[in-house]
Structures are given as C-alpha cells and as structure tokens.
Amino acid sequence: MPTRKSTPGRGHRARASARNRVHHVTTVTPASLSDLAYDDGAPEVIDDLAALQLVNPTVKDYANFARNLPCLVQIAERAFFYANQNRRFFELAVATPSEVIAADVASVHANVLLHNAAVIAVAVIPALRPSDRHARRQVGHAFLERVDDDDSVVRKDVRTAFGLDEGDAANLSADALAFAAARARTIADHGLGQLHRLEHRAALRSFLSQPADLDALDRTIQRHQRAVENIAVALEAAELSPEDCQVLEAARAGATLQYWVAVARFALSHDHQDRGLSYLLHGPIAPTAQLYSAIEIADEIGRSSRKMIREHASQ
C-alpha cells in the first residue's frame, strides 16, 4: 500500500495562524479627568535642571560632564511632553466636574515647572551637535509663539537664548535632518527617561510640594564659582603635561556650566520673592549673551509660574 506523503495542510495553517494571531486588548480612552486610572506607584519626579546638577563634584567629575553633555533632543522631547500633558488636562477638564478639576490642578502646576526646567536646560546646555541645535531652535520657536508680539525685549531674549537667528539655509537643513534621525533613535530606544503623565498624580503633587532650598542653591553656586577659580589657578601652574591641561580645561568648562545650571535653577525657583539675579549676571563669572538671555527668561517664567501657583493656592 503506498505511503501517503505528509504535506502542510489545514492543520499546519491553523497552527501557524494561531501563533501569528494578534490579541487586541480594548482600551478605554478617558473622556474626562474622572476616567483617569491613577498610578500612585510612580517614581519620584526630578526636573531636568536638577538632574543635571552634580553633587560634590571633583575635577574629574567636572571634566567628564563637559565631555559628555546631555542630549538636547531628549530634553526637548520632555519639554514638549509636559506641555502636551497640560493640553490633555484641559481637553479632559471640559467634561469634568469642578471639584475633580480642583483636586487635579496640582498636576498642571507641576507640569508647568517641569516644562520650564526642560526649556531652560535646552537653552543653558551647549548645543554642539547638529541635532541639538535643531532641538534648541524647535523649543525656541514654540516658546516664541507664547510671547506677545509687542514684548520686544522678551522676544529678543528668546531669539538669542535659543539661537533662532544662527545658521544659513544649508546648515539649518542639515541640522533638521540630523534631528529627525536622532529623535527616531531616541523614541526607539525609549531614551526619554521617566516621564510622568497626569495619571501619576501623587508623584506630581509630591514634586510640587517641595519648595526649592534657595540657601542650598546659593551654596551650590558659590561652590562651583570657587571651583572655576581654583581650576584657573591650577592651569597657570608650571610643568603641566598636555594631558593634565586638557583635563583641567574640560573641568573649567564643566564647572562653569554647572555654575550656570545652578543659577538657572535659582532663577526658576517658584517660591523666591525678592532675591534678584543681578549679582550673578554681573558677577565674577561673566555669561555669554546667549546665557544672559537664557537666565533672564528663566527669571521671567519663574516669576510668572510662582504667581500662577500662589493665585490658585489662595482660591
């Protein structure tokens, strides 16, 4: 009796189909803030400027920081993310009872502060890569859309801080292409760090409830200033090897940048009243025009944010 060949038939196809079948899980899109599935287990919220700050850095730490600057594409994405979360809040608030809105408004305030920190970090950190230059311009253009047309001083600061008038057409195009590639890699690699959605209400409230320690920031600023001065003295020493000079030059750049990160945090602190920035902007470490404008913007949006939070807290 002839042996019957085994051929892929319906059973084989059925098993393959079962293996390849995608099981769709139905998700409900929230229609109001009341529909959000809150997650009280989200990790601590840390803003971008705080994340950049080195703790008790050594000369080597400063040098490594200057040589490994953070990716502005990632920071810009976080800035846009937090702005989008607040847009999402107001869209959901339309169909939300007022008492629920009042309970969740702290998330809006926290998102504003997180957005502000990311925006200023993009302005303060040097944009050395083409993708970072484009990311900085994107954030600057988005910021400029919120500035009144008749506020020429702030508009000029924004253009300077975010390099909106730099580069010719060819460079702008090359930067945009590099940004598109870097952004795609960032999203594919999940390189945005921990992002906090409206659903992370408890973590956002905790972040908002922790006022900046201005005395600690003052001490941090002074520590970085002394480091810049000490490194400058060390660079004048005789018989330094080329390698030592390179490390010290990088360390001086890193300490200077840490100084301005701390100044930016001071400027943005949402609870300070009359402690001005003029002594910092006209102090021993002179800012570039770009940095000067960035700190001026930080002070402006910091005061605006503090006023908004105080007004809502008093209601």
Side-chain angles (χ1 to χ4, degrees):
M1 189 173 183
T3 302
R4 187 176 179 183
K5 284 188 176 181
S6 176
T7 59
R10 286 177 297 185
H12 176 87
R13 288 193 296 271
R15 288 191 296 272
S17 176
R19 285 196 302 269
N20 296 328
R21 187 178 298 122
V22 176
H23 296 280
H24 296 284
V25 178
T26 302
T27 58
V28 178
T29 301
S32 73
L33 294 172
S34 304
D35 300 328
L36 293 177
Y38 292 109
D39 176 8
D40 292 337
E44 178 186 5
V45 178
I46 301 175
D47 71 58
D48 275 286
L49 285 171
L52 290 171
Q53 197 79 69
L54 298 177
V55 178
N56 297 322
T58 63
V59 168
K60 186 176 180 180
D61 293 331
Y62 281 130
N64 286 338
F65 178 69
R67 290 168 170 171
N68 298 280
L69 293 177
C71 174
L72 297 192
V73 175
Q74 293 180 12
I75 301 176
E77 286 297 304
R78 287 194 286 272
F80 291 127
F81 174 85
Y82 287 116
N84 287 333
Q85 284 298 294
N86 274 356
R87 277 192 285 271
R88 181 176 173 232
F89 179 95
F90 291 114
E91 290 170 357
L92 293 173
V94 173
T96 303
S98 58
E99 62 271 16
V100 177
I101 296 174
D104 280 7
V105 75
S107 296
V108 174
H109 296 159
N111 278 328
V112 167
L113 298 182
L114 289 166
H115 174 263
N116 289 349
V119 166
I120 297 303
V122 168
V124 169
I125 298 300
L128 303 180
R129 296 176 285 258
S131 56
D132 289 340
R133 290 195 294 269
H134 187 79
R136 173 177 283 179
R137 292 188 199 102
Q138 272 206 327
V139 172
H141 283 300
F143 193 99
L144 204 57
E145 291 177 358
R146 297 156 43 199
V147 179
D148 292 337
D149 290 339
D150 58 351
D151 198 338
S152 59
V153 174
V154 175
R155 293 182 73 83
K156 181 180 178 181
D157 274 339
V158 172
R159 301 198 71 83
T160 301
F162 295 94
L164 299 187
D165 298 323
E166 298 174 2
D168 56 26
N171 288 333
L172 294 177
S173 178
D175 289 353
L177 289 173
F179 169 82
R183 183 174 184 271
R185 288 193 301 271
T186 291
I187 294 172
D189 296 340
H190 305 286
L192 294 179
Q194 177 63 46
L195 294 172
H196 290 80
R197 301 167 59 83
L198 295 177
E199 286 83 354
H200 301 158
R201 180 173 61 182
L204 291 169
R205 281 179 174 174
S206 177
F207 168 75
L208 187 67
S209 68
Q210 299 170 10
D213 186 338
L214 297 180
D215 291 331
L217 278 176
D218 265 336
R219 291 192 295 272
T220 298
I221 291 168
Q222 292 165 19
R223 183 186 306 119
H224 295 317
Q225 178 183 322
R226 288 194 298 272
V228 173
E229 294 166 349
N230 292 338
I231 293 168
V233 171
L235 276 167
E236 294 176 359
E239 299 181 0
L240 283 175
S241 69
E243 292 78 11
D244 288 341
C245 283
Q246 289 175 0
V247 170
L248 287 173
E249 286 290 1
R252 178 162 59 179
T256 302
L257 185 51
Q258 281 290 310
Y259 174 89
W260 289 113
V261 168
V263 170
R265 290 185 69 195
F266 185 94
L268 279 175
S269 298
H270 62 271
D271 60 348
H272 82 72
Q273 301 291 328
D274 300 318
R275 300 171 72 165
L277 290 168
S278 60
Y279 78 101
L280 295 170
L281 291 173
H282 299 93
I285 301 180
T288 62
Q290 183 265 330
L291 272 172
Y292 191 100
S293 292
I295 301 302
E296 288 278 290
I297 292 169
D299 190 51
E300 178 69 25
I301 62 178
R303 283 188 282 110
S304 175
S305 298
R306 293 191 299 275
K307 179 181 178 183
M308 174 194 69
I309 292 170
R310 286 196 300 270
E311 288 177 349
H312 280 93
S314 64
Q315 293 177 357

